[in-house]
């Protein structure tokens, strides 16, 4: 006769043994959230999420849930050429290739920092702002700046920005950089803006952003071709994004419609040519810190109509936190993230015009988003995912190529892990200007200047 109680206990033990969380995940998530200035309630969400990984994973294993229980939705042709919805069967991916190489860049002329701005200006990379580190010159909020010339591997120091550098955002217009600072620290003006012209290496003060914006918000900027659109994320568990639009032709700001409530935006805003897209997470219950109840969300803002819309999540389990996102020029790449059962390696291309999702072959390894220090960079032909689950440049880069439908995997960074910094595509390579040494948040020294990755 079968002893059902003994058999059930055995199944539970085996299921629990199969559930693993990355070492020091709680400390890492909390540290990275501090680095990204996601304060207050989000830190509690992160702690609750990590605490729930084991419990939820055991429940999924015992109940038969998880990936096997999820249906991947059928999507139509992402090009939009098929009038009726058709069944899409993704082709077998090509064999996994090994490609790519790491390199170092020249020593920078400015002190080391973290949480800084790195912005490509058509082959030159502006590095500015951020927080100073122990052993530099003692300045915490850096106003100094430098420009890295990618093709020649050289730097030039440029004048300090006329902005408080504690909480900033910047975007490239094709001619100048537009930068904003919104803060409530140290008696500085809470609303500031300036432009930087790399042709003359000069900063010019601009009209102040609207004073109705929350001083404790987290700003992000996107350029539409005619306006700089500012998304200022505010709130705790249930965040919203305040909107302001800057017209450089008249040096004036106008306010736009605030986003629908309930979405944190860890990814950078993406301009598609008609909308600004933000990918983030929303708590199912904004009054609860139950981190197993966080749903991925995609919101799109149309600046011409001053309207928002939400796209339903249609990739595997929607209950995930910190997914990665990138714009390919025609489709939104999304995937990865952290769910109660662990990290995800699934991905999809989304046609924002038709709302259809095309599931992709799983990545060779799980990947995470911006809150864990990771970057998703579009090279013109590939989406390259950098960083490991600890927010270090120690894992192997992953690259998805839409033209072939396949993944490639690059070499791991030689030597010890290097704390991650902002990464940009510049000229023919990814530039990671993570300059100088690190402080208590990122206690492994960085190369003086930074790193490059050539896919």
């Amino acid at each position: 006769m079968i002893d059902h109680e003994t058999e059930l206990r055995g199944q539970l033990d085996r299921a629990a043994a199969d559930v693993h969380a990355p070492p020091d995940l709680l400390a890492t998530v909390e540290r990275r959230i501090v680095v990204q200035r996601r304060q207050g309630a989000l830190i509690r969400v992160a702690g609750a999420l990590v605490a729930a990984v084991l419990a939820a994973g055991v429940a999924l294993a015992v109940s038969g849930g998880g990936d096997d229980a999820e249906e991947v939705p059928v999507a139509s042709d992402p090009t939009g050429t098929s009038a009726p919805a058709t069944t899409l069967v993704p082709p077998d991916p090509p064999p996994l290739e090994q490609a790519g190489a790491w390199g170092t860049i020249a020593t920078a002329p400015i002190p080391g920092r973290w949480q800084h701005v790195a912005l490509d200006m058509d082959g030159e990379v502006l590095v500015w702002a951020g927080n100073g580190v122990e052993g530099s010159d003692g300045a915490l909020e850096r106003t100094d700046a430098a420009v890295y010339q990618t093709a020649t591997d050289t730097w030039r120091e440029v004048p300090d920005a006329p902005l408080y550098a504690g909480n900033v955002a910047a975007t490239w217009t094709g001619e100048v950089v537009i930068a904003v600072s919104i803060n409530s620290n140290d008696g500085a003006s809470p609303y500031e803006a300036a432009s930087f012209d790399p042709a003359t290496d000069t900063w010019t003060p601009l009209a102040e952003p609207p004073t109705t914006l929350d001083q404790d918000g987290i700003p992000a900027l996107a350029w539409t071709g005619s306006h700089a659109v500012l998304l200022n994320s505010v709130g705790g568990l249930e965040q919203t994004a305040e909107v302001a639009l800057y017209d450089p032709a008249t040096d004036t700001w106008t306010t736009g419609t605030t986003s629908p409530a309930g979405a944190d935006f860890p990814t950078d805003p993406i301009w598609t040519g008609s909308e600004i897209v933000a990918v983030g997470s929303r708590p199912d219950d904004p009054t609860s810190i139950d981190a197993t109840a966080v749903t991925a969300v995609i919101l799109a803002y149309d600046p011409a109509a001053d309207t928002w819309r939400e796209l339903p999540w249609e990739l595997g389990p929607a209950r995930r936190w910190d997914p990665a996102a990138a714009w390919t020029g025609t489709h939104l790449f999304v995937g990865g993230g952290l769910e109660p059962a662990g990290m995800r390696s699934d991905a999809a291309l989304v046609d924002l015009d038709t709302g259809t999702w095309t599931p992709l072959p799983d990545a060779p390894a799980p990947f995470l988003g911006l809150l864990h220090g990771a970057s998703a960079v579009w090279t013109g032909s590939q989406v390259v995912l950098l960083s490991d689950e600890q927010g270090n440049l120690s894992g192997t880069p992953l690259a998805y190529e839409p033209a072939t439908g396949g993944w490639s995997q690059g070499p791991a960074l030689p030597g010890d892990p290097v704390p991650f910094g902002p990464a940009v595509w510049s000229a023919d390579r990814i530039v990671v200007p993570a300059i100088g040494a690190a402080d208590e948040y990122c206690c492994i020294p960085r190369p003086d200047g930074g790193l490059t990755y050539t896919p």
Side-chain angles (χ1 to χ4, degrees):
M1 182 175 181
I2 298 176
D3 185 345
H4 293 287
E5 180 178 354
T6 301
E7 178 65 16
L8 179 58
R9 289 183 182 277
Q11 291 180 12
L12 285 169
D13 291 340
R14 288 191 295 273
D18 288 337
V19 179
H20 303 281
D24 301 325
L25 179 58
L26 175 57
T28 301
V29 171
E30 290 183 339
R31 183 171 67 250
R32 291 300 163 188
I33 291 175
V34 170
V35 169
Q36 292 298 329
R37 293 181 178 266
R38 304 285 175 182
Q39 299 174 349
L42 273 181
I43 295 179
R44 297 194 298 273
V45 171
L49 177 60
V50 175
V53 165
L54 293 179
V58 170
L60 286 170
V62 173
S63 65
D67 287 353
D68 294 338
E70 294 287 345
E71 276 190 27
V72 177
V74 174
S76 61
D77 183 354
T79 64
T81 57
S82 300
T86 57
T87 300
L88 179 74
V89 179
D92 292 335
L96 181 65
E97 295 182 357
Q98 300 293 321
W102 289 99
T104 58
I105 63 180
T107 299
I110 53 178
R113 65 201 60 207
W114 58 275
Q115 202 186 350
H116 47 284
V117 169
L119 195 63
D120 178 62
M121 306 178 297
D122 295 338
E124 295 186 323
V125 180
L126 173 67
V127 179
W128 161 66
N131 293 283
V133 297
E134 297 295 333
S136 58
D137 61 5
L140 294 180
E141 285 80 23
R142 308 293 317 188
T143 60
D144 51 351
V147 172
Y148 175 70
Q149 288 101 358
T150 308
T152 60
D153 187 32
T154 57
W155 289 86
R156 70 176 186 270
E157 192 168 2
V158 300
D160 289 7
L163 304 174
Y164 178 83
N167 199 12
V168 299
T171 189
W172 171 243
T173 71
E175 296 181 354
V176 299
V177 171
I178 294 177
V180 299
S181 173
I182 297 178
N183 65 84
S184 56
N185 297 319
D186 300 337
S189 173
Y191 307 100
E192 297 176 317
S195 65
F196 173 75
D197 185 348
T200 59
D201 284 346
T202 55
W203 292 89
T204 302
L206 302 177
E208 292 183 354
T211 57
T212 54
L213 298 174
D214 193 311
Q215 296 180 19
D216 294 318
I218 303 169
L221 277 172
W223 175 248
T224 70
S226 61
H227 291 74
V229 179
L230 171 66
L231 302 183
N232 190 46
S233 294
V234 298
L237 282 169
E238 187 173 339
Q239 293 203 354
T240 58
E242 300 173 329
V243 176
L245 297 87
Y246 175 73
D247 183 352
T250 59
D251 190 28
T252 56
W253 290 86
T254 56
T255 57
T257 300
T258 299
S259 72
D264 167 50
F265 300 126
T267 65
D268 289 330
I270 295 169
W271 173 245
T272 70
S274 59
E275 293 179 307
I276 294 172
V277 176
V279 181
S281 304
R282 166 184 292 148
D284 293 352
D285 179 359
T287 65
S288 169
I289 61 170
D290 179 6
T292 65
V294 177
T295 301
V297 62
I298 301 174
L299 293 177
Y301 175 70
D302 181 345
D306 190 28
T307 57
W308 288 85
R309 67 185 178 111
E310 180 173 339
L311 285 80
W313 187 272
E314 297 182 12
L315 173 68
R319 185 155 290 172
R320 67 178 78 196
W321 182 59
D322 196 20
W327 179 245
T328 71
T330 59
H331 291 77
L332 181 68
F333 170 95
V334 292
L338 186 65
E339 63 162 334
M343 293 189 297
R344 302 287 306 183
S345 58
D346 54 351
L349 292 176
V350 186
D351 185 326
L352 297 178
D353 291 332
T354 64
T356 56
W357 290 62
T358 301
L360 305 178
D362 282 1
F367 57 95
L368 299 171
L370 190 64
L371 280 180
H372 287 79
S375 284
V377 180
W378 175 246
T379 70
S381 61
Q382 297 178 327
V383 176
V384 179
L385 304 164
L386 295 175
S387 183
D388 64 8
E389 69 274 13
Q390 302 297 320
N392 295 317
L393 280 173
S394 59
T396 56
L398 306 173
Y400 177 75
E401 187 170 352
T404 64
W407 289 88
S408 59
Q409 184 168 294
L413 184 70
D416 293 331
V418 175
F420 198 73
V424 298
W425 179 252
S426 181
D428 59 354
R429 71 206 72 173
I430 295 173
V431 176
V432 189
I435 56 179
D439 65 1
E440 70 271 16
Y441 289 106
C442 305
C443 42
I444 305 169
R446 299 170 172 174
D448 287 335
L451 298 162
T452 63
Y453 180 74
T454 305

